[in-house]
Amino acid sequence: MDNKTKIYLVRHGQTEWNVKHKFQGHQDSPLTDMGIKQAQWLEEAIRNEQIDMIYSSSSLRARRTAEIIRGTREIDIIESDDLREINLGIWEGRTQDEVKELYLEAFNDFWDNPEKFKVENSETFRQVSDRAINMMRQTVNDNQGKSILIVTHTVVVKLIMAYFEGRQMKELWNPPYIHPACLCKVEIDGDQSKIILHGDISHYKEEPSLG
């Protein structure tokens, strides 16, 4: 009997603000037609996988992605604020070029030294790590031996996978790139965990674009 707990960790599909290179954070924008397709490709790829629980960030872009991936499964989607993207405060709604011009030091910290990152009204990476990983660990403890789908955001995916990898915060943005609707899979057996997939896009039916 397989008592392993399986986590399927997914970033939401491409959004309108992804295409415009805008920081979203706690703000939101709809999935693009491509974002919907990306979620549909993943639904098809894992259609025959056992999924017992579905958790989603409470942001609409993640919730919509979770609904598509759920497909015909009769499973409630449990929303959690703990799975939301990092709150980016005064950056939200601005393009990366605008932010780089106005907040160069913080922009460089965001990508090169996440431990130091902080702007007005934002969260720190450590705060996001604490809330997301605590939620994930509690979910695993409450659902041992089950298969759990979690739909969330880039920073949260990166931080959860860094937790399983033992990756230092400074190396957070090292590859793999977290494409929209990419798949990470982790198997947990007691105190042991094994990464099966990390940023996988083998279900894509078109070439990916960064977004």
Side-chain angles (χ1 to χ4, degrees):
M1 184 175 175
D2 187 359
N3 289 319
K4 294 175 184 172
T5 305
K6 298 180 178 68
I7 295 177
Y8 295 85
L9 182 63
V10 178
R11 180 191 169 193
H12 61 80
Q14 183 194 70
T15 69
E16 292 180 1
W17 280 15
N18 290 153
V19 174
K20 295 174 182 176
H21 305 292
K22 286 186 176 183
F23 284 105
Q24 294 183 109
H26 280 199
Q27 293 192 42
D28 219 345
S29 69
L31 297 185
T32 61
D33 289 344
M34 175 56 71
I36 291 169
K37 285 202 289 187
Q38 290 163 339
Q40 289 170 338
W41 296 336
L42 183 54
E43 183 278 325
E44 186 178 324
I46 65 169
R47 187 175 295 166
N48 296 322
E49 299 287 335
Q50 176 68 30
I51 300 291
D52 300 301
M53 314 286 296
I54 301 176
Y55 290 84
S56 170
S57 157
S58 51
S59 293
L60 289 176
R61 60 190 184 275
R63 168 76 194 209
R64 178 68 182 125
T65 303
E67 289 170 350
I68 295 169
I69 298 170
R70 174 174 62 181
T72 59
R73 295 180 176 92
E74 294 184 358
I75 303 173
D76 289 336
I77 296 172
I78 302 166
E79 293 186 9
S80 174
D81 290 344
D82 289 334
L83 293 172
R84 293 180 82 180
E85 183 58 292
I86 185 171
N87 185 336
L88 290 171
I90 55 175
W91 283 14
E92 293 186 4
R94 294 182 182 271
T95 66
Q96 291 210 28
D97 287 342
E98 287 176 308
V99 167
K100 186 175 182 180
E101 183 176 338
L102 293 169
Y103 309 97
L104 181 59
E105 184 177 353
F107 181 85
N108 289 336
D109 283 341
F110 184 88
W111 295 111
D112 300 328
N113 198 357
E115 192 75 65
K116 285 181 60 180
F117 170 77
K118 186 78 172 76
V119 293
E120 186 180 339
N121 297 327
S122 79
E123 289 180 285
T124 65
F125 278 77
R126 187 61 56 190
Q127 287 172 321
V128 180
S129 179
D130 287 346
R131 65 168 161 84
I133 289 168
N134 286 340
M135 182 274 175
M136 184 271 302
R137 291 174 67 178
Q138 186 63 53
T139 300
V140 169
N141 286 338
D142 292 345
N143 298 284
Q144 292 186 27
K146 293 185 177 179
S147 294
I148 304 161
L149 172 66
I150 297 175
V151 182
T152 181
H153 308 267
T154 303
V155 170
V156 177
V157 171
K158 276 289 189 184
L159 290 167
I160 290 176
M161 294 307 292
Y163 166 79
F164 285 118
E165 291 177 294
R167 182 188 292 216
Q168 296 294 313
M169 184 74 81
K170 185 165 181 62
E171 277 120 37
L172 188 70
W173 292 112
N174 287 2
Y177 184 84
I178 301 302
H179 287 277
C182 70
L183 178 63
C184 302
K185 181 180 179 182
V186 180
E187 292 183 350
I188 301 170
D189 191 355
D191 295 332
Q192 303 296 313
S193 62
K194 182 179 180 182
I195 296 171
I196 308 300
L197 297 170
H198 194 171
D200 182 69
I201 54 170
S202 60
H203 51 281
Y204 271 29
K205 296 182 181 180
E206 298 176 23
E207 283 296 310
S209 59
L210 300 186

